[in-house]
Amino acid sequence: MEKEAFIQEVRRLKAERQAVILAHSYQLPEVQEVADFVGDSLGLAREAQRTRAKVIVFCGVHFMAETAAILNPEKTVLLPDLEAGCSLADSIRPEDVLAWKAKHPDGLVVAYVNTKAEVKALADVCVTSANAVEVVSRLPQDRPIYFVPDMFLGAHVARMTGRKLDLFPGECHVHAGIREEHLKALLETHPDAEFLIHPECGCGTGCLYLKPDAKMLSTEGMVRYAKAAERRTFVVATEVGILHRLEKEAPGKAFFPVKPDAVCEYMKRITLEKVYLSLKEMRHVVRVPEEVARKARRALEAMVAVG
């Protein structure tokens, strides 16, 4: 089947199933183009919570579909490819959180949304890169905090809030691979460009040292900033899927990736054909056991309410 035929079939089946298609900004361009909503983890969680559709086709990775299922127990959540996982979410186990809680009975666990449902169920609050600083800044000052699982985002939050955080040593393999040497090369090539850097990036502190006016932003923050900025040229440090959305929503501006091969192979597992098959065959339904979902829902609802 040709691309245009897939698009028409997806639209027909979407109406037939009373479905909504949600896509992350790192998805393939053709998947973003058939989605009803494209955004970051926080935006997608909010959209999943407010939709009236009976079926949610989640074009993202597994933990995102789990989040949608937790927030919408009465709806059917589909993930077009069950192998669309996440190296960061896989890095931490519930046992890691329980071990810290045993040593810090009065402590608070802040879980980045890039975690499995079982870890979220042990958290006091979930966060995204868009609202992590705001959430942590509101927590009681007299209680220890365990930030899991991304150590680079955690270091950014600690720097911005001035709070001491215990950090789990996890990382996204794509963002961790964006290093200072990649930034230096772009500094020389595009000295007048604005630099937009995701807080999960491994270059973190070093990037701010090399480029003090760089903007540390979530994916959604990058889109908002680029649209409003007077500058016409931007260097972008995150997964390259964001470039399609940036070019679409900020036309006439130029965007250059710090690392052109910063590609999440898990995100790219979702294809237009798989979205079609997901709707046609109602594959693959994502479910979370109610006992886990009930506990995780509390932490996720706290996340959605902030920022």
Side-chain angles (χ1 to χ4, degrees), residues 106 108 133-145 161-165:
D106 62 335
L108 297 170
V133 171
E134 185 176 357
V135 170
V136 171
S137 68
R138 295 183 180 188
L139 296 177
Q141 294 285 334
D142 59 343
R143 299 176 68 178
I145 296 173
T161 61
R163 300 198 59 170
K164 182 184 181 302
L165 307 178

Side-chain angles (χ1 to χ4, degrees), residues 9-23:
E9 280 299 289
V10 165
R11 288 173 177 162
R12 181 185 68 80
L13 288 165
K14 186 173 66 170
E16 186 180 297
R17 301 290 193 194
Q18 298 181 54
V20 65
I21 300 175
L22 306 182

Side-chain angles (χ1 to χ4, degrees), residues 8-271:
Q8 292 304 318
E9 280 299 289
V10 165
R11 288 173 177 162
R12 181 185 68 80
L13 288 165
K14 186 173 66 170
E16 186 180 297
R17 301 290 193 194
Q18 298 181 54
V20 65
I21 300 175
L22 306 182
H24 193 273
S25 299
Y26 296 160
Q27 288 289 296
L28 292 167
E30 56 264 35
V31 173
Q32 293 187 40
E33 289 302 315
V34 297
D36 297 285
F37 180 86
V38 181
D40 64 357
S41 297
L42 183 58
L44 292 169
R46 285 176 172 156
E47 198 65 26
Q49 194 176 45
R50 71 169 64 105
T51 184
R52 295 186 177 182
K54 292 184 178 180
V55 176
I56 299 172
V57 182
F58 214 107
C59 300
V61 292
H62 195 272
F63 76 80
M64 296 178 178
E66 275 189 338
T67 296
I70 291 166
L71 292 172
N72 296 274
E74 74 289 354
K75 294 183 172 70
T76 300
V77 176
L78 304 177
L79 181 64
D81 190 328
L82 286 178
E83 297 301 312
C86 173
S87 61
L88 179 58
D90 287 342
S91 71
I92 187 166
R93 306 164 302 160
E95 293 85 348
D96 299 315
V97 179
L98 290 170
W100 185 87
K101 287 168 74 84
K103 295 178 181 177
H104 306 86
D106 62 335
L108 297 170
V109 176
V110 177
Y112 190 24
V113 72
N114 299 42
T115 47
K116 294 181 179 180
E118 292 79 8
V119 172
K120 291 183 176 74
L122 296 171
D124 294 281
V125 63
C126 288
V127 297
T128 70
S129 57
N131 70 2
V133 171
E134 185 176 357
V135 170
V136 171
S137 68
R138 295 183 180 188
L139 296 177
Q141 294 285 334
D142 59 343
R143 299 176 68 178
I145 296 173
Y146 193 32
F147 191 99
V148 303
D150 192 276
M151 60 182 175
F152 297 117
L153 177 59
H156 168 67
V157 172
R159 183 169 59 247
M160 296 300 294
T161 61
R163 300 198 59 170
K164 182 184 181 302
L165 307 178
D166 287 345
L167 304 179
F168 180 82
E171 62 182 31
C172 161
H173 72 291
V174 176
H175 285 101
I178 299 175
R179 312 301 304 178
E180 288 180 39
E181 57 266 28
H182 302 123
L183 181 71
K184 286 178 181 177
L186 271 294
L187 273 170
E188 294 174 6
T189 312
H190 302 284
D192 298 323
E194 289 248 42
F195 278 61
L196 311 180
I197 301 170
H198 195 282
E200 280 186 45
C201 288
C203 60
T205 304
C207 286
L208 292 175
Y209 175 77
L210 290 168
K211 183 73 174 172
D213 61 345
K215 304 298 185 294
M216 195 76 73
L217 298 165
S218 67
T219 51
E220 201 65 31
M222 289 181 180
V223 175
R224 283 197 303 269
Y225 187 87
K227 287 167 68 174
E230 293 184 7
R231 200 77 64 90
R232 312 300 293 176
T233 305
F234 301 84
V235 168
V236 182
T238 190
E239 209 272 357
V240 296
I242 190 69
L243 296 177
H244 174 74
R245 190 168 167 219
L246 285 167
E247 290 165 355
K248 180 180 178 180
E249 296 196 29
K253 297 181 179 181
F255 299 93
F256 300 94
V258 168
K259 192 167 183 277
D261 62 349
V263 176
C264 175
E265 66 269 28
Y266 300 112
M267 283 283 186
K268 301 306 190 269
R269 290 192 67 89
I270 309 294
T271 63

